[in-house]
Amino acid sequence: MKCVYKLEHKNCKEIDFETGEEICDTKMLGFFSSKEKCNESIKEYLLQPGFKDYPERFFIEKVYADIDDYNDKVGHFDKYVYYLSHEWYDGEYDYQTHFGYYSSLKKAKKAKEMYKKETEFIKYPDGFDIGKYLINEREWKEGFFSWSELDAEME
């Protein structure tokens, strides 16, 4: 497969007053071989606490294998997606950068080494992460706490 579909749930709660960007609580739900498989998973998630309170917050994105700032040749996913990202904390907020989706751990590690040399990441070399995701496997197995549940309990 040259592409898969990334499924996330984003609950945006705040605005960063300096940048104007939304600050979201994002849950990576998995990578799927088709939009139909994403929609089947959404139906299952909507039965779980938290997700059912925010049904409009599911996002599906089509992603390609092995495309990043250093490589423009599309690869092929087999069983797994290797997702390269970087995260750092400034004392108030977490910042995350998404680099790419890779068909092998070797390709993800090679990209990581290239990005580590860039000025904005040199100070945070430990912030890199390569996640390994089985295609068509739901990643988030449980619901999550939501404020609407707490409000209902308090009434």
Side-chain angles (χ1 to χ4, degrees):
M1 294 176 278
K2 288 185 178 185
C3 67
V4 293
Y5 296 85
K6 177 176 73 169
L7 177 61
E8 293 181 317
H9 188 270
K10 295 182 183 180
N11 191 10
C12 299
K13 304 175 208 171
E14 299 179 48
I15 300 286
D16 182 329
F17 292 108
E18 290 180 22
T19 66
E21 293 181 37
E22 286 186 306
I23 300 167
C24 301
D25 178 19
T26 303
K27 293 167 181 57
M28 172 69 75
L29 302 179
F31 292 89
F32 299 89
S33 58
S34 68
K35 281 188 180 180
E36 292 77 21
K37 290 202 181 276
C38 284
N39 287 321
E40 289 171 15
S41 289
I42 289 171
K43 287 178 185 175
E44 292 179 43
Y45 281 116
L46 286 172
L47 300 174
Q48 297 177 325
F51 291 111
K52 64 184 176 185
D53 297 324
Y54 304 102
E56 72 287 352
R57 306 275 171 85
F58 289 95
F59 294 90
I60 299 172
E61 178 186 357
K62 188 177 190 178
V63 299
Y64 291 89
D66 305 326
I67 298 292
D68 60 23
D69 293 337
Y70 297 102
N71 180 20
D72 62 356
K73 183 178 178 189
V74 177
H76 293 275
F77 294 114
D78 187 21
K79 290 175 62 174
Y80 295 97
V81 173
Y82 296 88
Y83 171 48
L84 176 61
S85 63
H86 184 272
E87 188 171 353
W88 65 279
Y89 181 67
D90 70 357
E92 186 174 358
Y93 297 113
D94 286 320
Y95 294 91
Q96 189 167 34
T97 303
H98 309 279
F99 296 112
Y101 310 92
Y102 299 89
S103 58
S104 71
L105 182 58
K106 181 179 179 180
K107 288 181 180 182
K109 285 182 176 180
K110 182 178 177 185
K112 174 184 165 184
E113 291 308 311
M114 298 296 290
Y115 284 110
K116 281 175 79 172
K117 297 174 187 173
E118 291 189 8
T119 307
E120 63 190 290
F121 304 110
I122 288 175
K123 292 193 299 186
Y124 308 101
D126 296 332
F128 287 91
D129 181 60
I130 299 173
K132 181 180 177 181
Y133 298 89
L134 180 62
I135 296 171
N136 293 326
E137 177 76 20
R138 289 177 52 216
E139 289 296 319
W140 196 273
K141 305 294 183 185
E142 303 168 3
F144 63 92
F145 173 78
S146 70
W147 288 108
S148 62
E149 290 173 354
L150 180 61
D151 291 341
E153 287 179 19
M154 306 264 308
E155 290 179 353

